Amino acid sequence: MKTILSLLCVALLSTVAVNAQVQKDTQKKTTTKKVRVTDDKAITTKVVEDTDEEIDVIEVEDNNMEDQAKKIKKIDADRTEVIGENTAENASNKMKVAQKMKAQQSELERSKQMQLEKAEKEKMALLKMKEQRMAELEKRKQELQSRPKGMAKLKKDPDGDGIN
């Protein structure tokens, strides 16, 4: 019984000695940000927590010597967490977008009307020019068909082949 008890004490003391040889130093910096995202339809607000954590672990070998060499391990444990999220309707932006759309629509209608008027003017000018050409052509035709006195009138070609 004494041997079992003494073995248990030795095992317990050796684990305590091993645990006593590791020292942790933690430096933690937490930043809380409020991120606001605005789009056409909604405003989304997120609360984001950034944690910059650096853990220094100092380990010493368990050999009961004084002035031992130590090993320092640096562990980065950075993380980002979204704590809260809120979405709200963007009414003011919706109104602005609706007003812009209305203005664009009215501008488009006005532009269409101007294009139609311009096309109508061009069409009228082309018709006027065509009438002038037709009048000149008719006048020229009359000049060519008119014969001096005593000359026979031109006969039309019945079959259109150029031979009477």
Side-chain angles (χ1 to χ4, degrees), residues 36-45 86-91 93-94:
R36 181 177 177 184
V37 179
T38 305
D39 59 1
D40 289 343
K41 297 177 184 174
I43 300 172
T44 305
T45 306
N86 185 13
T87 303
E89 185 175 312
N90 196 351
N93 196 31
K94 278 187 178 181

Side-chain angles (χ1 to χ4, degrees), residues 53-115:
E53 188 172 2
E54 190 173 289
I55 301 172
D56 294 336
V57 179
I58 302 171
E59 292 181 352
V60 179
E61 292 180 13
D62 188 25
N63 56 9
N64 294 329
M65 292 181 57
E66 291 182 16
D67 297 329
Q68 295 181 16
K70 58 185 173 188
K71 297 178 188 174
I72 300 175
K73 292 183 186 177
K74 291 191 177 204
I75 302 170
D76 286 331
D78 299 340
R79 66 179 186 267
T80 301
E81 257 183 81
V82 176
I83 295 174
E85 185 172 343
N86 185 13
T87 303
E89 185 175 312
N90 196 351
S92 63
N93 196 31
K94 278 187 178 181
M95 287 176 43
K96 287 178 185 176
V97 168
Q99 288 174 351
K100 243 184 207 179
M101 292 294 283
K102 199 175 198 181
Q104 286 178 347
Q105 190 67 27
S106 65
E107 180 69 25
L108 182 64
E109 290 296 326
R110 191 168 54 86
S111 176
K112 280 183 183 180
Q113 188 65 30
M114 288 174 58
Q115 291 291 331

